[in-house]
Amino acid sequence: MPALKVEHLAKTFPLKRPLFGAAPPGAHAVRPMSFQVETGETLGIVGESGCGKSTLARMLVGLLEPTGGTIEIEGKALGSASPAVFGKLIQYVFQDPQSSLNPRRTIRQVMEAPLKRLHGMPKPDRDKRIAEIFASVNLREEFLDRYPHEFSGGQAQRIGIARALAASPRIIVLDEPVSALDVSVQAQVLNLLSDLKARFGLTYLFITHDLAVVEAVSERVAVLYFGAIVEIGRAERIFASPRHPYTSLLAKSAPVVGRSLTAPEQKGSELPDPLNPPPGCAFAGRCRRATELCRAREPELKQMGENQLAACHHPLEH
Amino acid sequence: MSAFLALLFRNRLAAMGLAVIAVILLLAMATPLLPLHDPDVIATADRFMRPLSEGRLLGTDHLGRDLLSRLLHGTRLSLAVGIAAALIAAVIGSAIGIVAGYFGGRTDNVVMRGVDMLMAFPYILLALAIVAALGPGLMNALIAVAAVNVPFFARNIRGITVGLAGREFIDAARLAGMGHTRIILTELLPNVLPVIVIAMSTTVGWMILETAGLSFLGLGSQPPQADLGSMLGEARSAMISHPHTSIVPGLMIFLIVMSINLLGDGVRDALDPRLRSGALSRPRATTLVRRQGATPPATDDLLAVQDLRTEFQVGKRNYRAVGGVSLAVKPGESLGVIGESGSGKSVTALSVMGLVASPPGAITGGAVRFQGEDLIGAPYEALRQKRGDRVAYVFQDPLATLHPLYRVGQQLTETIRSHRNLSKSEARMRAIQLLNDVRIPNAERRVDDYPHEMSGGMRQRVGIAMALANEPDVIIADEPTTALDVTVQAQILCLLDDLRRERGLAIIFITHDFGVVAQLCDRIAVMYAGRIVEEGPTQAVLGAPAHPYTRRLIACVPELGGGRRELAAIPGLPPVLDDLPPGCAFAPRCTKAEESCRQGEIPLQGPALHAVRCLFPERAP
């Protein structure tokens, strides 16, 4: 049984209705998408700004109500959005560790909330549990009575992870958990996350825009473009031998030591307009391989090679 | 709390207000205990006694009642009503504001339109309507004044709440299983409370005035009960013949409202975090220079930073952000400055053109030479001539550096025309050409766009176009691609590289990304805790890093194509800049550190091109 099963999950943000006439169709932030994550797996989700990765994450934890589709966690279907129901099964680690902590609450108050509200734990049990969690994320217990502004970014992010752990979830959604941190601290947090996963048997959804990071921490990677999965496959294969031209573009754009500087793309190409999506493949406007077929019909995710799926009419060959 | 009081008393007017209102409050509270005449006893024989008469310190009114006694009782009542009205208005208004701001959408719309309707009535009209419905009386005047002020609180608090409700900690609280009521009470309220206090302290005076106004019209306190407004109202007919009867309550109203307002402003200034951190003290046009020691001699570099020291004085603490940095670029050369946050790379860059905010920043040593001429301590006009003309900057966040209310074309032409004597139309042509140069499609059309109409990559191109506007010799780019997507980053880097080759631009490129410097830069300087720890040609530094910090920092960065793996991390944190250890700043985190690393200055030395600040540098493999 997969830890997480998502089917045809979609989100459309309604637009303001004009004074006269019918409401416009709305902005498609996430177009119907389906995927599964096995227990103990890390699924990386990459994409550029505006590709819908944060909207997807917020739907998965129940902070946003989907317009369509279902979310199933360990076989349990979760209906309407209610973070309190979702909270026990799936938790969230935010990008900006400082702004995810209430500046006027002590760390102890922050940590106690999920134990008290989600699990109804009495006070002595809570203290014991908090001590356990703090030990597992390498934080000293004396931090508990301090306020968030007293911590560095790396410490604050560990507090954020500790809070997510406190709910004893099965899955944690990590939304750019290290992009606000310095590289030397980034590695500390990434290693901590991988320890915790092994120790508590967690399943991760790791959202990031950094391909190198996602490759280093995930088993599988899904590439999002314009609110849809364009390619999904094994982390070690997907950037080395991408089938979708967009994945290839991403991989070529990442600055790598020892590779000379070349713009991998024609200048002046712009992203498609979410209010007025193009018919057919959303990437066609930026794609050198695009044909009439691409502009007319939207490609579906198809099996391409072992454990790799891509949505492209003219996939790259290797 | 003591910091708050210290700030409050630094404002003399606020301290004076506090003293006056404290005396008035004490008097009002002690009124029943003082040996006063009964305020309501009529003695027509003693009417209109002048102040300082025997036994009547402030004289008597038209019915022979003791004015001092009436004044103190009236003040007591007016203060009580005013403060009660403020509290009621604050509680109801803030509750409305928080609920509207937190739930947003339709709730917000309905509630706030109701509040707007309330606000559209002139207060006196609304008060008249309430009094007409409920009958005159002090209690009803209180209700009217409170109702009139509810919108003020509701709108203020709603604005703050909308900003807070979108913050991530609210989402986190929802995920922790908290309900709406609990989130409002335990997460939002503590954060808006200071704003409520500020709003209250600035409106109490106004509410006392409004209550007095209603009583003056006879709608508030009913005779014989005295409050300041009704005393004024009753004295009105005798204003010419016996002015003291109106002057006495009038002065009291003046004192109360004045002192409360002065105090309220002081409280607001002391509580507002922006004002507290010195947002009101405008930084100087150039960085303060407090240079000690000799100035290094000129070199033949295009731009040379020589032994630069920049410090920040915050309170008693002195942060040494840049502690002796030397960098140099020649025409057409591209130098990468790499470091983590707090390493001093941005402050170094800003010091070049005297752009570090002063106070609290000051340049305390070294020189910055452009074509041999020392820029540090140069007169403002000389610096302004060079800023954007010979040396230009590109910053990280183009949305923050472009003015949101002007079209990008206007901002470009302004940059051009402040240095070149061009007509408006010529400058516009040049702006379009610049946008073409940075590969913005449809430049003729996009020149009239506002910054928000462009994507992040486009905006950064405008930032670069602006930097190029006057064909500078040096561009200092401070993390210009960090906020951008990788595909856009690749385009921007290519653009900078082309410009460098085409125009012989020198580029100082500040970043934390090794991949970026590797692709763009000829040389690299690695900074740690305000100093350069290693400098050399890109290939040499990245291929065979000599400083342990460089080697381990490179190892921290995952590289694409490396597969799934445990990443190397550097344990510990960078040192705090106001308490730097003697010797090597990296020693506490370094595995190779020995006793000698923790003592004395360690010089930046090594073979001519590849220098390192380490006693035990890594050997080339």
Side-chain angles (χ1 to χ4, degrees):
Chain A
M1 183 171 53
L4 174 71
K5 189 170 165 197
V6 166
E7 271 181 3
H8 307 296
L9 192 65
K11 178 72 191 175
T12 308
F13 288 106
L15 295 171
K16 218 178 195 151
R17 201 194 162 104
L19 202 52
F20 300 105
H28 300 275
V30 172
R31 295 184 290 159
M33 65 167 66
S34 309
F35 60 87
Q36 292 188 359
V37 192
E38 300 303 322
T39 307
E41 188 186 31
T42 299
L43 175 71
I45 296 178
V46 293
E48 297 182 284
S49 48
C51 72
K53 49 190 198 295
S54 287
T55 308
L56 171 66
R58 291 172 63 81
M59 282 196 286
L60 291 179
V61 296
L63 285 171
L64 203 63
E65 188 143 17
T67 28
T70 56
I71 301 169
E72 239 175 64
I73 295 175
E74 297 190 329
K76 253 183 282 178
L78 294 169
S80 64
S82 157
V85 180
F86 279 68
K88 277 195 243 184
L89 296 168
I90 186 162
Q91 275 289 337
Y92 199 91
V93 173
F94 295 87
Q95 172 172 10
D96 182 346
Q98 285 292 353
S99 89
S100 71
L101 298 170
N102 189 339
R104 294 190 177 265
R105 307 267 279 167
T106 63
I107 303 306
R108 186 184 298 280
Q109 289 172 314
V110 168
M111 290 292 299
E112 282 201 325
L115 297 175
K116 206 154 51 173
R117 301 289 147 229
L118 292 173
H119 295 282
M121 225 181 242
K123 175 82 179 148
D125 292 7
R126 290 205 297 265
D127 288 347
K128 206 167 130 246
R129 180 96 178 100
I130 290 174
E132 277 170 26
I133 296 168
F134 255 52
S136 63
V137 297
N138 309 327
L139 285 172
R140 292 200 294 275
E141 265 183 75
E142 67 199 55
F143 288 172
L144 282 170
D145 296 310
R146 298 200 194 158
Y147 286 89
H149 68 92
E150 298 174 54
F151 297 98
S152 70
Q155 286 169 334
Q157 194 55 292
R158 272 189 256 170
I159 293 168
I161 294 168
R163 170 178 55 196
L165 285 177
S168 337
R170 306 300 310 135
I171 306 172
I172 298 184
V173 177
L174 304 153
D175 189 359
E176 306 257 12
V178 295
S179 63
L181 307 179
D182 271 320
V183 278
S184 72
V185 181
Q186 185 175 322
Q188 292 172 12
V189 172
L190 290 176
N191 290 338
L192 171 70
L193 284 171
S194 98
D195 286 353
L196 293 173
K197 189 175 96 162
R199 191 177 327 165
F200 299 112
L202 295 166
T203 304
Y204 285 161
L205 256 87
F206 196 103
I207 298 173
T208 181
H209 66 277
D210 189 328
L211 305 190
V213 165
V214 87
E215 192 194 50
V217 300
S218 344
E219 272 96 16
R220 280 194 307 146
V221 174
V223 180
L224 256 60
Y225 184 74
F226 199 58
I229 295 179
V230 294
E231 185 158 9
I232 184 166
R234 311 290 311 166
E236 64 274 14
R237 300 268 309 146
I238 192 163
F239 298 122
S241 58
R243 309 305 299 265
H244 197 285
Y246 178 64
T247 316
S248 160
L249 172 67
L250 274 184
K252 280 186 194 150
S253 302
V256 171
V257 178
R259 189 162 71 194
S260 64
L261 191 60
T262 43
E265 192 180 6
Q266 245 92 41
K267 56 221 171 197
S269 54
E270 282 202 57
L271 295 172
D273 179 5
L275 301 184
N276 184 18
C281 175
F283 187 63
R286 296 170 75 180
C287 186
R288 274 178 218 174
R289 305 166 68 90
T291 59
E292 277 316 304
L293 175 66
C294 301
R295 283 183 254 279
R297 206 159 58 86
E298 199 175 331
E300 282 176 14
L301 267 182
K302 281 186 298 246
Q303 192 79 29
M304 295 194 185
E306 198 189 347
N307 293 326
Q308 198 157 339
L309 289 91
C312 186
H313 291 304
H314 308 291
L316 300 167
E317 302 296 332
H318 292 279
Chain B
M1 191 66 203
S2 59
F4 164 71
L5 286 179
L7 268 168
L8 184 62
F9 288 127
R10 212 167 59 187
N11 182 341
R12 295 243 176 86
L13 284 173
M16 201 178 80
L18 181 65
V20 173
I21 195 68
V23 169
I24 294 175
L25 276 174
L26 269 178
L27 276 177
M29 278 190 282
T31 303
L33 308 173
L34 296 176
L36 295 167
H37 296 267
D38 187 322
D40 299 334
V41 168
I42 300 173
T44 358
D46 296 336
R47 63 202 288 257
F48 290 131
M49 279 171 75
R50 302 202 142 269
L52 301 177
S53 317
E54 200 193 337
R56 308 280 182 175
L57 198 58
L58 292 178
T60 55
D61 69 357
H62 65 293
L63 294 175
R65 293 174 293 194
D66 183 50
L67 261 184
L68 177 65
S69 171
R70 281 184 79 74
L71 179 75
L72 288 180
H73 279 98
T75 305
R76 197 175 145 84
L77 203 58
S78 286
L79 278 174
V81 171
I83 293 170
L87 277 174
I88 293 171
V91 169
I92 296 176
S94 306
I96 292 176
I98 291 187
V99 167
Y102 174 69
F103 289 103
R106 185 153 297 174
T107 317
D108 182 32
N109 233 327
V110 171
V111 170
M112 292 318 286
R113 290 304 82 79
V115 166
D116 286 348
M117 257 153 41
L118 201 58
M119 211 167 187
F121 280 103
Y123 91 94
I124 207 85
L125 217 73
L126 191 62
L128 281 172
I130 292 174
V131 171
L134 302 176
L138 205 50
M139 207 52 185
N140 298 340
L142 190 156
I143 293 173
V145 170
V148 168
N149 282 288
V150 160
F152 171 78
F153 284 96
R155 293 171 71 108
N156 245 334
I157 301 304
R158 174 192 169 266
I160 305 288
T161 312
V162 165
L164 287 168
R167 294 272 295 275
E168 291 173 337
F169 67 81
I170 300 293
D171 286 342
R174 291 177 63 194
L175 286 170
M178 291 194 194
H180 292 309
T181 322
R182 195 172 294 278
I183 289 180
I184 287 178
L185 291 179
T186 65
E187 303 286 318
L188 277 173
L189 192 59
N191 283 295
V192 294
L193 207 54
V195 185
I196 299 178
V197 171
I198 291 168
M200 244 176 78
S201 68
T202 48
T203 47
V204 168
W206 177 236
M207 293 202 209
I208 291 173
L209 214 55
E210 283 175 350
T211 324
L214 286 178
S215 290
F216 177 82
L217 293 176
L219 302 172
S221 77
Q222 296 303 304
Q225 196 180 35
D227 91 333
L228 295 174
S230 63
M231 285 175 75
L232 259 185
E234 287 166 0
R236 189 186 44 189
S237 51
M239 195 153 78
I240 307 294
S241 54
H242 302 93
H244 72 274
T245 48
S246 31
I247 288 175
V248 166
L251 263 180
M252 184 52 104
I253 293 178
F254 168 76
L255 280 178
I256 292 176
V257 174
M258 193 67 180
S259 58
I260 288 183
N261 282 352
L262 287 176
L263 177 66
D265 285 355
V267 168
R268 185 197 57 204
D269 289 358
L271 274 182
D272 191 325
R274 271 183 320 126
L275 299 176
R276 194 159 51 185
S277 64
L280 282 184
S281 62
R282 220 164 73 98
R284 300 151 53 105
T286 61
T287 307
L288 196 73
V289 177
R290 274 201 314 265
R291 200 149 49 162
Q292 291 145 1
T295 333
T299 59
D300 61 345
D301 295 299
L302 177 62
L303 180 77
V305 174
Q306 300 170 309
D307 199 28
L308 179 77
R309 288 164 196 276
T310 306
E311 294 177 3
F312 290 87
Q313 187 83 41
V314 181
K316 286 196 180 65
R317 290 162 170 238
N318 191 27
Y319 295 88
R320 200 197 70 189
V322 180
V325 163
S326 300
L327 297 169
V329 279
K330 293 195 162 55
E333 194 178 32
S334 154
L335 170 72
V337 179
I338 207 160
E340 297 182 89
S341 50
S343 64
K345 52 193 196 307
S346 293
V347 178
T348 307
L350 291 174
S351 300
V352 169
M353 278 286 137
L355 291 172
V356 177
S358 287
I363 293 173
T364 56
V368 174
R369 290 184 187 277
F370 178 75
Q371 293 172 334
E373 181 195 347
D374 193 2
L375 299 179
I376 298 212
Y380 169 65
E381 193 48 34
L383 270 181
R384 197 192 67 78
Q385 294 267 328
K386 291 202 175 59
R387 282 180 185 172
D389 188 39
R390 306 305 351 125
V391 180
Y393 285 87
V394 181
F395 294 101
Q396 176 173 352
D397 182 1
L399 196 55
T401 45
L402 292 174
H403 197 297
L405 297 182
Y406 290 96
R407 300 172 192 280
V408 296
Q410 286 172 304
Q411 303 189 45
L412 272 167
T413 38
E414 193 197 352
T415 314
I416 298 164
R417 277 160 56 89
S418 63
H419 291 288
R420 297 263 181 289
N421 203 358
L422 288 183
S423 73
K424 274 212 169 118
S425 59
E426 284 171 325
R428 188 183 154 85
M429 294 301 295
R430 172 101 181 100
I432 293 173
Q433 190 208 328
L434 281 166
L435 292 183
N436 269 322
D437 287 353
V438 293
R439 325 263 147 78
I440 288 185
N442 278 327
E444 290 81 3
R445 202 164 49 80
R446 307 229 62 160
V447 75
D448 291 322
D449 277 0
Y450 286 100
H452 72 264
E453 294 175 296
M454 299 182 134
S455 66
M458 285 290 169
R459 281 197 292 262
Q460 193 56 293
R461 277 176 226 215
V462 172
I464 293 174
M466 213 175 244
L468 290 173
N470 294 300
E471 302 190 332
D473 302 309
V474 184
I475 284 193
I476 300 177
D478 189 353
E479 307 246 12
T481 57
T482 309
L484 304 177
D485 286 325
V486 275
T487 54
V488 183
Q489 168 172 292
Q491 293 170 17
I492 298 278
L493 291 180
C494 268
L495 174 67
L496 281 173
D497 198 46
D498 288 352
L499 291 169
R500 172 165 82 103
R501 289 183 206 293
E502 285 165 20
R503 306 193 178 187
L505 257 180
I507 299 180
I508 296 181
F509 198 95
I510 296 162
T511 180
H512 63 270
D513 190 328
F514 283 105
V516 171
V517 278
Q519 294 190 324
L520 188 70
C521 300
D522 309 316
R523 281 189 303 127
I524 300 186
V526 182
M527 286 188 74
Y528 187 75
R531 293 196 146 174
I532 293 181
V533 295
E534 183 166 2
E535 188 184 2
T538 307
Q539 305 302 335
V541 174
L542 295 183
H547 198 284
Y549 173 66
T550 319
R551 180 180 63 80
R552 292 176 60 187
L553 192 62
I554 292 175
C556 282
V557 185
E559 206 171 292
L560 196 59
R564 233 169 93 75
R565 65 207 172 267
E566 180 89 349
L567 296 164
I570 307 179
L573 294 171
V576 274
L577 294 172
D578 61 333
D579 184 24
L580 289 171
C584 175
F586 187 61
R589 300 170 78 184
C590 185
T591 49
K592 301 172 78 181
E594 303 210 0
E595 215 30 63
S596 53
C597 296
R598 299 194 176 86
Q599 294 155 1
E601 285 287 287
I602 296 161
L604 187 66
Q605 60 190 4
L609 282 172
H610 190 168
V612 59
R613 196 187 291 279
C614 184
L615 296 177
F616 309 101
E618 311 276 333
R619 299 269 158 75

